[in-house]
Amino acid sequence: SEPAETGAATAAPDGAAEAQAGEWPRDVAVGDSQVTIEAAPERIVALSTETGDLVLELIGPERVAAVAEGSVTPGTGNQLELAEQVPTSLSMRTSPDPEQILALEPDLVIMTGRHDDEQSAADALAAS
């Protein structure tokens, strides 16, 4: 088979060409649900060190409103220099506080499905 042209729709699997083109809105699968993201997120909140590391590596700190405190803790986060540029770090010693998260006016909240506390925060945020 011939190599796909750079930027061609056939070069990217599973709708990634759309993401490369910067087209909005976008539908994404979240568990058993479909979520529509209307525009490129400008105020992202990452609720765990893992998600903070990923977001910071992919897009940098400019569009990140908050990360978990582990992201700015030496020896914990893998993107420490970038995380220190984010204006807010959230304490995760207790369950994520949905009111504190909503006060940041995020247009995207990213969390993992493996932390029980994050699931309760996800349920509360979805209800809001």
Side-chain angles (χ1 to χ4, degrees):
S1 97
E2 295 181 25
E5 294 178 27
T6 304
T10 56
D14 301 324
E18 182 179 317
Q20 291 175 350
E23 294 177 14
W24 299 94
R26 267 187 215 151
D27 292 327
V28 294
V30 178
D32 294 333
S33 302
Q34 285 290 109
V35 175
T36 300
I37 301 174
E38 296 295 335
E42 295 296 325
R43 294 194 50 79
I44 300 169
V45 173
L47 292 183
S48 68
T49 303
E50 300 96 326
T51 58
D53 285 347
L54 289 170
V55 168
L56 290 166
E57 188 169 335
L58 290 171
I59 65 165
E62 297 80 14
R63 298 185 317 172
V64 180
V67 292
E69 70 182 346
S71 294
V72 296
T73 303
T76 305
N78 292 320
Q79 300 296 329
L80 188 61
E81 189 173 310
L82 294 173
E84 289 173 339
Q85 297 175 48
V86 175
T88 303
S89 61
L90 300 170
S91 172
M92 293 294 134
R93 292 189 181 123
T94 59
S95 298
D97 179 0
E99 289 182 21
Q100 182 184 25
I101 296 164
L102 291 173
L104 294 166
E105 299 180 355
D107 49 19
L108 181 64
V109 177
I110 300 178
M111 61 188 74
T112 65
R114 57 184 216 144
H115 301 293
D116 292 336
D117 291 344
E118 288 184 24
Q119 185 57 53
S120 63
D123 294 342
L125 290 169
S128 297

